[in-house]
Amino acid sequence: MKLRQKVIFLAITPLIFALCAIALAVQHQSALLAQQQRDTIQQAYLSSKEAELKHYVALATHSISHLYNSGRNDEATRNEAKRILESLSYGDDGYFFLYDMQGNTLMHPRQPDLVGKNLFEMRDALGRPTIQNLLQRARSGGGLERYMWVKPSTQKAVAKLGYVIAMPNWGWMMGTGIYLDDVDRALAQIDTQQSGNIHNTMLWIALIAIAAALVVAGAGLALNVSEHRVADAKLKVLAQRVVESQEEERARLSRDLHDGISQWLVSIKLQIEAGMIRLASPKPEQRQAATAVFEHAADQLSNVMGEVRRISHNLRPAILDDLGLAAALHHLGQEYTLSSGTPVHFDTTGAVDALSDVANTVLFRVAQEALTNIERHAGARHIGIRLTGTAAGVTLRISDDGNGFDAESIALHPKHGIGLRNMMERMDAIGGRFEIVSSTDGTVLTAYAAYNS
């Protein structure tokens, strides 16, 4: 996997994980909120039904109160009360029922076949005594009781919420109730709606995640293409600069050899030939003149040797291999002072001899490039070179009081700052660090190379 692909992957992966975490948190909170909402709705619904049942029982009690409170306890009075209660109903499954305190069914409008039967020992599917619990609730002052009972409209046993009261003057238990399957269906519908809402929320989060990932990938691809274009432009300029540098170096060597060494060698050759001719002359004064010619030729040979050393030093200074980096930089500063007239102050602190030959060469070339740029562009009056050795590596610091420049814009421009990029690339090649800070007060260049580079 390429570096840019890794960067895009590392950008998308945390985003996906974050959105997944958000989705899980939203799902958990939504489920918790749905359950709380369901419980609240269920409690409110049942509370309203309980109040409704109490009102129904109060209405039924009021409808027979003139008979019950008359003090009569004869068969005709009780039958009239049964008739009134039997006529009271609400909906298909809403009715009143009557039992005596022994569990005998006295009235049941929806299940008349139960009338006259004793259901005291009747138990539901869970084994609970239905009529006994209702009678116990009535004897304790009346109230609500849950139990299982056959629903008339479906003929299936479902949960029922009943409300019963005792009528002690006649030895009756009267009550009514509502079947809770309607409540369960309403709550199930609420659960379905809430599940749908949670599903839609998760779907939206997934769509947002996909869209965000596509945006990041698209932005990364666009950046990749843009960076490739810039890199290609810089690479072309750099390749052209390398070719130009090679040609410039060859032309410089050609000029040095042709204009300097070649002409000196021709002059020396002519002088030696003239000296040989004079040595062959029988005249003493000619032989003495030959000695002067040979001395002059020797002086010119010394100049040729100096020029050869200068050319060799520019290609790779022998002092760098013989005496080390500190001596080579000190000599480089002296040569710059002699050639440009700008004083260069050099100092070194700490041990700087443990660097590899490659690192020494890189730091020396960085110093050469820096001094070349200062001479061409800075207009500096003073230059300082400091070489500092530490336990981990060596730091080269070059400062000047020149005009300064905008380092960021130069580094980004594809056709400018070739020397600056060369220095950066040299330091990157050995795993070093390169920094440059420039302002109108001058420029400070810092290059660091570790001992293991």
Side-chain angles (χ1 to χ4, degrees), residues 213-236:
L214 292 176
V215 169
V216 173
L221 181 61
L223 179 63
N224 192 4
V225 173
S226 176
E227 289 294 326
H228 268 301
R229 290 177 180 175
V230 174
D232 289 342
K234 291 182 178 180
L235 186 61
K236 291 179 181 179

Side-chain angles (χ1 to χ4, degrees), residues 120-131:
F120 188 80
E121 298 297 333
M122 179 182 179
R123 295 179 179 272
D124 61 15
L126 300 178
R128 295 175 298 185
T130 303
I131 303 302

Side-chain angles (χ1 to χ4, degrees), residues 5-20 213 216:
Q5 294 174 341
K6 291 180 179 179
V7 171
I8 295 174
F9 176 77
L10 292 176
I12 294 177
T13 302
L15 175 64
I16 297 299
F17 277 124
L19 290 174
C20 289
V216 173

Side-chain angles (χ1 to χ4, degrees), residues 195-216:
S195 298
N197 292 334
I198 294 174
H199 175 74
N200 292 335
T201 301
M202 295 299 103
L203 182 61
W204 274 108
I205 292 177
L207 293 176
I208 292 172
I210 294 173
L214 292 176
V215 169
V216 173

